[in-house]
Amino acid sequence: MSAQIISGKEVSAQVRECLKKDVEQMKLKDPNFSPGLVVLQVGDRDDSNLYISMKLKAAKEIGINATHMRLPKTATEDEVLHSIKEVNENSSVHGLIVQLPLDSVHKIDTEKVTNAVAPEKDVDGLTSINAGKLSRGDLGDCFIPCTPNGCMELIKQTGVSVAGKRAVVIGRSKIVGAPMHDLLLWSHATVTTCHSKTADLPGEVGKADVLVVGIGKAEMVKGEWIKKGAVVIDCGINHIPDASKPSGKRVVGDVHYASAKEQAGFITPVPGGVGPMTVAMLMANTVLSAKRFLESHQPGKWNISYSNLNLQRPVPSDIVISRSCVPKPIDHLAKEVGLLSDEVELFGTTKAKVRLNIVQRLQAQPDGKYVVVTGITPTPLGEGKSTTTIGLVQAMGAHMKLNVFACVRQPSQGPTFGIKGGAAGGGYSQVIPMEEFNLHLTGDIHAITAANNLVAAAIDARMFHESTQSDKALYNRLVPLSGGERKFSPIQINRLKKLGIEKTDPSSLTEEEVTRFSRLDIDPSSVTWQRVLDTNDRFLRKITIGQSPTEKGYTREAQFDITVASEIMAVLALTTSLQDMRQRLAKMVVATSRSGQPITTEDLGVSGALTVLMKDAIKPNLMQTLEGNPVFVHAGPFANIAHGNSSILADKIALKLVGPEGYVVTEAGFGADIGMEKFFNIKCRYSGLRPHVVVLVATVRALKMHGGGPTVTAGMPLPKEYIDENLELLEKGCSNMKKQIENAQHFGVPVVVAVNAFKTDTEAELDLVCSVAKAAGAFDAVRCTHWAEGGAGAVALGQAVQRASEAPSSFKFLYDLELPIADKIRTIARKIYGADDIELLPEAQLKVELYTKQGFGNLPVCMAKTHLSLSHEADKKGVPTGFVLPIRDIRASAGAGFLFPLVGTMPTIPGLPTRPCFYDIDLDPETEQTWYPGPSPEPNPS
């Protein structure tokens, strides 16, 4: 009786149909996801091309995104290895096949190339790591080579159990024979491997219940060798002469099929047996790899380790604490929180940038809970808002075992070298390494400085050239001859369209159109764009530019701002994509023409160059807390001129990474009347994000000041009122906290008050603050000791935040954008500051009319006022009443997307104190460590 034929075509069709359903299920979970396969070929062999076309066709049928990567015959080993590395690091590729043989004119080590494939993408199962795992029996943690895998699938189709049977494998190649032996062995067969040197091969074959042949010799195994009823799997593909065939040859296996089928119980044909199964198993391995990828990268599935703090008393300086903890390698942290290798750009071992391709990968994933940390009206010493942000994150992560991300601003070097000393948090709740955090970081602020000053240079250069040239000369230089013809650049085409000129041929413009195109006609007195630097240099607050004789008498008064006050910084913080940033940079208004038209950076032709300068700055920076929590440090706009919040992009990415049960804690600058109000009315408008909880940081010290306590000065000893218990003074000052709670409640979000405890605070004082806060409508109020204890000192706060995030909320904005500019300002003044009304001074009134006419009337407003009082007068503490808020001027940040009214006078570049912090900053030339003590432990909380 003839053997039953095992059809590889039928089995492989069944396998492919199952794989197709698997891929469809993946897409149901994530519509943006597809299994990815790359076939890397060197040269152009016809047989390789045939095999590759079969693989690509099968992949397309199943729904696998397959790519054929061709390298020329001239490719060197290094070039092949480089291509493999690129694919290894591409998170959209889950399988990589190196098509053998490598058809190159250069000598290439096949073993080296094969082992360069990442084991988790080695769907051929040929790397030493996968082979080693297979030989050890780790079948669930490796990829099985496709031909042996297909053979096992064909054996299963017979219904014959391999366990306990005698199996013989002829051939010992790494691709078929050796892995086939291992598979049969771990399926509990008794396995004999035979080869060309085996004595009495027919005798060995005759013992086999299961025979797998992959020796590469045409029809070598005869039918009479085979045990009656055996399962015969023929892996051979050989060509023998056959005059009856058009090609003069036909394909046969390693087994003499005609005689063998009379002995065997089951047999595979050649062709149509093992061949189709090899391709099917390749597809199966690719789908398996994609499944493993999805399983290991589920949203919010973190496998994070935390660092233990070695708490010391008294609490050492910040830099000593920072150095006492060894940070995790930043690439390790990135992997722990679900970032892929191709989404991370390392800057040394402790910081990295995160590429924006992650936004698309995670866009279908649900967001976590969103928490904003703000504060009461602060003292000049600061009340520990950044420290509380980090302490809360450490508590919720390291101690409550929740996925949690901190998102904070990058500090300016002005305060770092000046009076403040840094913004990395403090004590045992800080971002590390603190010197990296507080100094250059990854150069984002430097990029903003360069971009800002390029605009400034472009403005003055354009005014100079327009004042010294005729229309024709100006046009000929703006659109110069190149190769005998003139061409508009793309950015010039944009200007033509803005002017309503639908022409692309420079020679076709009329004289009137040439004039309109060439002349921006900037009114020098209307220039609002200033130069910047990231240093507190008070003597640049007012300067005269153009003093050189080469400027031909073109001088004007100007000024410098600190870099973080640049509109480009605000753009960075509010942008949502590279394309959005390009558009925002293009819309920045730098001046007004003499005819009253706004002049933008796009008109200047510089917006594309700005985008190039900012292309890396847009990527959030990844760092960590002392306890090993992830932190995004990104953007740092001035809080009393711009909106004072870290970037939308950092928050959005973090919200995806933490998963639906996780938390993102972001910080708004200064008091709730400044940073929080702008967070809601500006940042949340542009991000579309809705916060779940407001954390309001308060201190006994600050509340006493609001109750009428004496003035405090940074670096000077505290008056006794702040050291001794004084419940009357404290209760009076709690009015400020109650007002800030009310301000948060205007937006419909639950408020948790964090009382940042100092060692001078008494139990009675702390209890009083908490009871007043709850009576004022706070969801909860808890004391915190995270400065001295790290995350353990903020666990109660973390638990309160967790409860509050589940409470009902009804988020709403404070005002509608359609309101007139003055009414929006009035709404903020009355509801947030407690003013009776506003007064628009003449310059402000003119700007209201101008910006309304220019189409900026529907932008949100970003109040520029002192952060030291709810009013416009810094010395008015508590909750001032009965005042009218004077608006002396209004300016437009059209690119960032807001108008900023100026309330009173404030410097846009701070000055250095008598004894700046740079006295305490130095470098050890032997260890190359920065000596940077940061703020003194006194009078920090304890």
Side-chain angles (χ1 to χ4, degrees), residues 9-298:
K9 290 182 179 179
E10 291 180 9
V11 178
S12 66
Q14 295 168 12
V15 171
R16 289 200 296 268
E17 192 59 35
C18 290
L19 294 175
K20 188 176 180 180
K21 291 177 182 177
D22 286 346
V23 172
E24 288 170 354
Q25 286 299 312
M26 291 183 202
K27 285 187 170 292
L28 283 176
K29 292 180 180 178
D30 185 350
N32 298 310
F33 183 81
S34 290
L37 174 67
V38 168
V39 183
L40 176 63
Q41 179 186 17
V42 179
D44 194 31
R45 285 173 56 119
D46 289 339
D47 55 349
S48 292
N49 289 335
L50 176 62
Y51 297 143
I52 291 169
S53 66
M54 291 167 57
K55 295 168 184 175
L56 297 178
K57 181 180 177 183
K60 184 176 181 181
E61 176 190 331
I62 292 166
I64 295 170
N65 182 23
T67 303
H68 184 188
M69 180 182 285
R70 290 178 180 268
L71 297 181
K73 291 185 70 168
T74 56
T76 64
E77 182 176 278
D78 284 345
E79 288 170 339
V80 175
L81 292 172
H82 178 75
S83 296
I84 290 173
K85 183 181 178 184
E86 284 188 334
V87 178
N88 284 343
E89 294 177 354
N90 186 341
S91 61
S92 66
V93 177
H94 310 101
L96 170 57
I97 303 163
V98 178
Q99 185 68 41
L100 301 177
L102 299 167
D103 183 26
S104 174
V105 297
H106 301 287
K107 184 179 179 181
I108 297 180
D109 185 339
T110 301
E111 186 78 6
K112 185 176 181 181
V113 166
T114 301
N115 278 313
V117 177
E120 67 272 14
K121 298 188 180 187
D122 173 30
V123 290
D124 259 337
L126 299 181
T127 63
S128 297
I129 289 177
N130 277 317
K133 288 182 177 181
L134 175 57
S135 70
R136 290 202 312 256
D138 297 336
L139 274 62
D141 189 33
C142 70
F143 286 111
I144 300 168
C146 301
T147 298
N149 206 6
C151 292
M152 290 301 295
E153 192 65 33
L154 291 173
I155 294 169
K156 287 177 188 175
Q157 291 296 315
T158 68
V160 174
S161 174
V162 172
K165 299 291 193 302
R166 283 183 173 272
V168 172
V169 178
I170 303 179
R172 52 185 172 180
S173 73
K174 296 177 182 178
I175 296 175
V176 180
M180 193 72 233
H181 172 280
D182 293 335
L183 275 177
L184 288 165
L185 181 67
W186 296 115
S187 296
H188 311 297
T190 301
V191 188
T192 301
T193 298
C194 299
H195 44 79
S196 59
K197 305 295 184 184
T198 299
D200 189 18
L201 184 59
E204 295 294 339
V205 171
K207 299 173 186 175
D209 299 309
V210 177
L211 175 65
V212 181
V213 187
I215 197 72
K217 293 184 178 180
E219 299 182 328
M220 185 192 77
V221 176
K222 311 304 180 186
E224 57 267 27
W225 297 3
I226 296 171
K227 182 179 180 180
K228 193 69 176 177
V231 176
V232 178
I233 307 295
D234 189 353
C235 302
I237 300 178
N238 309 283
H239 295 89
I240 62 173
D242 188 339
S244 67
K245 299 292 183 181
S247 63
K249 57 185 179 181
R250 64 187 171 91
V251 176
V252 297
D254 293 347
V255 177
H256 188 273
Y257 183 75
S259 60
K261 73 176 182 179
E262 300 303 321
Q263 284 288 106
F266 299 89
I267 191 169
T268 58
V270 177
V274 174
M277 291 303 298
T278 299
V279 175
M281 291 299 102
L282 174 63
M283 298 302 118
N285 277 351
T286 303
V287 172
L288 174 61
S289 179
K291 284 181 178 178
R292 288 174 177 172
F293 176 87
L294 281 179
E295 175 65 23
S296 63
H297 293 90
Q298 290 178 15

